[in-house]
Amino acid sequence: MREESSETKQTLRSGFTTGACATATSLAAANLLINNIFSENVRIVLPQRSRTRGSQANGNQAMKNRIGGKQVEFKLERCERISARRAIASTIKDAGDDPDATHLATIFAEVELSAIAGIRFHAAEGVGTVTRDGLSIAVGEPAINPVPRKMMTEHLLLLADESGYAGGFEVHIGVVNGEAIALNTMNGKLGILGGLSILGTTGIVKPYSCSAFIASVHQSIDVAHANGVSHIAASTGSTSEHYIQKRLQLPEIALVEMGDFAGAVLKHLRKVPMKKLSLCGGFGKMSKMAAGHHALHSQDSSIDFNFLAGLADELGGSKALTDQIKHANTSLATLKYCQADDIPLANKVSQLARQTALKVAQNKVHIDVYCIDKAGNCVGTSFVS
């Protein structure tokens, strides 16, 4: 079977974000405290754009404006008082069929009634704290993103209004084993320490949309820029990142794990000033970029063996070599064929990949490209002239 063959598509199930889970659990805990109502299930309204244009509605009115907004129900694992003014509720996050690091994690909220009006958010066990500039949350704040904060605020204010409660809320959001789970995310590089981020913009996780990963790519660039970094390196995986870090000796804050989303990096750099970008990836993925692609996953683009054969022909390769390439099973096989005949295919791929990258970035940044093999050895480059 040839490299990156297509797979049969099937209907995949959506799930919920950590922000939606935090909203559901904070609402359940607050309802228990204010109205003494124990819940096994809790319903929330998912975010949608306001129907009132130009409106600056408060939390209560914003919730009431959501006519027809989608309501979803969460099963609670726990909902009980800790003291007269403090309660806890938890749910198990269901990310659907998305390969999410927090799928089946226990999200909980401890809510405390306060004599001081307003809502204040805190990081409980497993939720990180922001330690670097450049994120949408200020340094020192719990890593609870703006939309989840808004969701919780709106639901809690509406509950207070309907229940005649005039006080405030201290909301502590946590994730069981969140600090360990966070090791599988980019939070450490982003300067989010001690646990996970509470994320989401719609409340829904779409399978394989990779929106959280792309958001982390953008955040990595934002954090680097905010902390004075002018040269970043974006890599397709751990092998390429290890190589580029060793070669360029860049600090960790300058390293961006882009995976298959080169376009997410390049398009974001149209908006965020950066002097230099070094791209590093395996030969196969760089060959896709050389062919004009910037979405490098096998679902979005494929190795074009005819294209590679054409490059080898331009570089003086024999007909026997180009025929080998056309019938190769993997991109690395084409590389080995060319190396055996002293045809600098990887350099040509790097040059064309750089041209694609500059075009997508609209020439807003100087770009170098490094192409590596499976063992992490550099096989081709294209530098800023």
Side-chain angles (χ1 to χ4, degrees):
M1 184 178 291
R2 267 199 164 192
E3 185 174 7
E4 299 183 351
S5 60
S6 61
E7 296 181 358
T8 302
K9 291 185 178 180
Q10 57 181 341
T11 302
L12 299 175
R13 189 171 58 89
S14 296
F16 298 109
T17 63
T18 48
C21 294
T23 301
T25 54
S26 61
L27 178 62
N31 197 28
L32 177 60
L33 288 171
I34 294 173
N35 297 314
N36 201 33
I37 296 175
F38 167 79
S39 304
E40 292 185 351
N41 299 283
V42 62
R43 296 179 70 84
I44 65 168
V45 181
L46 296 179
Q48 68 175 25
R49 292 181 180 179
S50 173
R51 293 174 181 242
T52 308
R53 297 181 67 177
S55 172
Q56 296 294 322
N58 62 23
N60 301 344
Q61 190 58 48
M63 278 291 289
K64 291 173 181 177
N65 284 345
R66 287 182 182 174
I67 301 170
K70 183 176 182 180
Q71 293 190 27
V72 293
E73 187 171 273
F74 291 79
K75 181 181 183 299
L76 297 175
E77 294 298 304
R78 182 182 182 189
C79 185
E80 60 185 68
R81 287 180 181 271
I82 298 174
S83 66
R85 299 183 64 80
R86 194 177 181 104
I88 185 171
S90 65
T91 189
I92 294 177
K93 180 188 169 182
D94 179 3
D97 290 320
D98 193 68
D100 189 289
T102 55
H103 180 52
L104 299 182
T106 299
I107 316 296
F108 67 88
E110 288 188 21
V111 177
E112 183 176 6
L113 301 182
S114 172
I116 304 171
I119 298 169
R120 288 156 294 279
F121 295 99
H122 309 271
E125 171 204 345
V127 167
T129 299
V130 176
T131 66
R132 287 177 178 164
D133 290 321
L135 298 171
S136 56
I137 303 298
V139 171
E141 282 286 307
I144 303 171
N145 276 18
V147 172
R149 288 175 183 244
K150 183 173 183 288
M151 289 173 66
M152 285 183 272
T153 297
E154 289 178 349
H155 282 79
L156 291 176
L157 289 180
L158 182 60
L159 173 69
D161 181 61
E162 293 178 340
S163 305
Y165 172 66
F169 302 92
E170 305 293 330
V171 180
H172 304 252
I173 303 298
V175 183
V176 175
N177 296 323
E179 189 167 5
I181 298 171
L183 297 176
N184 298 316
T185 73
M186 289 190 243
N187 275 18
K189 287 185 181 179
L190 295 174
I192 298 171
L193 303 183
L196 291 159
S197 304
I198 301 301
L199 304 171
T201 55
T202 66
I204 295 290
V205 176
K206 293 182 179 179
Y208 293 91
S209 67
C210 299
S211 57
F213 188 92
I214 291 172
S216 294
V217 170
H218 292 167
Q219 289 172 340
S220 294
I221 297 170
D222 293 341
V223 167
H225 170 66
N227 286 274
V229 174
S230 60
H231 179 189
I232 61 173
S235 306
T236 57
S238 58
T239 302
S240 54
E241 182 176 272
H242 178 76
Y243 169 81
I244 205 68
Q245 183 177 32
K246 186 176 180 181
R247 173 151 182 167
L248 301 180
Q249 296 295 302
L250 292 172
E252 186 181 47
I253 195 174
L255 303 177
V256 178
E257 185 183 338
M258 69 178 180
D260 294 313
F261 302 99
V265 172
L266 298 166
K267 291 176 183 178
H268 200 58
L269 289 176
R270 298 174 187 173
K271 301 179 290 183
V272 180
M274 191 64 59
K275 183 177 180 181
K276 187 174 181 180
L277 166 68
S278 294
L279 287 172
C280 185
F283 175 76
K285 292 189 186 298
M286 289 297 102
S287 77
K288 293 181 182 183
M289 190 177 292
H293 302 288
H294 52 80
L296 307 180
H297 193 275
S298 59
Q299 291 181 335
D300 301 306
S301 57
S302 300
I303 305 292
D304 189 336
F305 293 93
N306 288 327
F307 168 73
L308 293 175
L311 295 184
D313 181 59
E314 290 177 20
L315 294 168
S318 66
K319 184 178 185 304
L321 174 63
T322 58
D323 285 343
Q324 271 188 308
I325 293 173
K326 289 177 182 178
H327 295 94
N329 286 323
T330 68
S331 57
L332 288 176
T334 69
L335 177 63
K336 289 179 181 178
Y337 298 153
C338 288
Q339 288 173 331
D341 282 12
D342 292 323
I343 299 297
L345 181 62
N347 279 339
K348 184 66 175 178
V349 162
S350 299
Q351 292 166 15
L352 294 176
R354 182 169 173 266
Q355 289 179 19
T356 297
L358 286 167
K359 182 179 180 180
V360 176
Q362 298 178 345
N363 291 299
K364 298 286 187 180
V365 60
H366 294 295
I367 297 176
D368 290 340
V369 171
Y370 298 81
C371 187
I372 64 169
D373 62 17
K374 212 164 192 176
N377 302 309
C378 185
V379 293
T381 57
S382 180
F383 298 109
V384 175
S385 57

